Amino acid sequence: MTLDELIQFSIFVAAGFLIGLLLNKLVAPRLLKIAQKSKWAGDDLIIRTLTTWLIPWFIVLGVFLGWKRVDMQEKYHQWIENGIAIFYILSLTIMLARILSGLTAIRDTRSGKISSSSSIVGNIIKVIVYCLGILMILQSLGIKITPILTALGVGGLAVALALQDTLSNLFAGIQIVSTKKINTGDYIRLDSGQEGFVEDVNWRYTSVRVGANSIFIVPNSKIASIIVTNFDYPNKEYVFDISVGVDYNSDL
């Protein structure tokens, strides 16, 4: 690399950093203020997530344009292009996973409840998005993904047979979330008499809070197979009887 090429490369990298910094400090805060005025909190999440990647994206873009001005063998240019492509695919995958999983935990401004029932939805979304991102990276490197998918299918069958209890809890948790009969924050009572507020429904357990510092954990498959009384469904108002004793000689 000659001195002239080094200077050009440094200029492109510095320009990318400055552009990303200006967008991060000037444009992003204004967009965030506009988003905060809306009733939907999802746009705040999207803008915050995009903001974290503005500077790295433009720096890498500067690196790419700068290396284009450097005289070197074509294979090295190809390596750099592949590395930059992997970076962008990986960053977009992480950003998309954070946004989609974060949207499942946004609270409804009217009811104060979380729009999703639990963290299981966010975790499933993250796994799906990350798997798709990895497949896209392999595809961009010229690696055929068909044999990988075939191997995963066979391996998945073996794992499913070995983890029957875990998978039953997983699908029971998905059923609990999808039916929306039990949501995070609801006050429930099990047929065993235990009761409390639903803290979370993860991939294996449902956590129920009793009092201030106590939580009892129930497997999702157990929740799906027993009678559960939800005092907050379909709304928080419910009727109960109160026995009042009155003396027979009282004046009605």
Side-chain angles (χ1 to χ4, degrees):
M1 179 185 294
T2 64
L3 179 61
D4 183 55
E5 292 173 343
L6 179 61
I7 293 174
Q8 292 185 36
F9 175 77
S10 301
I11 291 174
F12 276 102
V13 175
F17 172 75
L18 290 176
I19 293 174
L21 184 63
L22 289 174
L23 291 175
N24 191 25
K25 297 298 183 180
L26 298 178
V27 178
R30 295 182 179 180
L31 293 176
L32 188 58
K33 288 182 179 179
I34 296 174
Q36 289 175 346
K37 296 179 181 179
S38 65
K39 295 181 179 180
W40 185 51
D43 48 7
D44 298 26
L45 173 64
I46 294 173
I47 293 175
R48 288 195 183 95
T49 306
L50 287 172
T51 302
T52 58
W53 289 100
L54 284 176
I55 295 178
W57 280 347
F58 280 95
I59 290 177
V60 173
L61 180 61
V63 171
F64 172 72
L65 296 176
W67 276 115
K68 283 292 187 181
R69 271 69 181 174
V70 177
D71 185 18
M72 62 174 59
Q73 296 182 19
E74 184 62 28
K75 65 177 182 179
Y76 297 117
H77 282 291
Q78 188 65 38
W79 291 352
I80 294 172
E81 290 178 3
N82 290 337
I84 292 174
I86 291 173
F87 168 77
Y88 279 112
I89 294 174
L90 185 61
S91 63
L92 289 172
T93 300
I94 295 174
M95 184 186 68
L96 187 61
R98 287 180 179 177
I99 290 175
L100 294 179
S101 62
L103 290 176
T104 65
I106 292 177
R107 290 187 178 275
D108 190 342
T109 55
R110 292 172 297 178
S111 64
K113 281 188 176 183
I114 297 177
S115 58
S116 171
S117 298
S118 61
S119 62
I120 188 173
V121 178
N123 292 333
I124 291 175
I125 290 175
K126 284 182 179 180
V127 170
I128 294 174
V129 174
Y130 284 137
C131 289
L132 292 176
I134 293 173
L135 292 177
M136 291 178 63
I137 290 174
L138 295 177
Q139 187 72 26
S140 66
L141 295 177
I143 300 175
K144 295 183 179 180
I145 62 175
T146 303
I148 297 176
L149 294 176
T150 303
L152 289 176
V154 176
L157 179 61
V159 171
L161 294 175
L163 301 176
Q164 294 184 21
D165 293 338
T166 301
L167 290 177
S168 65
N169 285 317
L170 173 62
F171 288 110
I174 295 174
Q175 178 186 358
I176 293 171
V177 171
S178 60
T179 56
K180 296 183 179 180
K181 303 296 184 183
I182 300 176
N183 300 293
T184 303
D186 288 352
Y187 190 83
I188 65 172
R189 178 190 294 161
L190 308 182
D191 59 0
S192 60
Q194 296 171 305
E195 56 186 61
F197 293 95
V198 178
E199 284 285 302
D200 188 26
V201 182
N202 59 30
W203 61 278
R204 190 171 184 181
Y205 298 111
T206 298
S207 303
V208 183
R209 176 169 51 86
V210 182
N213 299 316
S214 300
I215 291 179
F216 66 89
I217 299 174
V218 187
N220 293 331
S221 58
K222 183 72 173 179
I223 292 287
S225 61
I226 64 175
I227 298 175
V228 179
T229 303
N230 189 346
F231 294 99
D232 289 340
Y233 182 83
N235 50 59
K236 289 183 175 295
E237 291 78 18
Y238 53 92
V239 179
F240 56 93
D241 298 328
I242 299 178
S243 300
V244 179
V246 179
D247 188 81
Y248 289 108
N249 296 322
S250 299
D251 187 355
L252 295 180

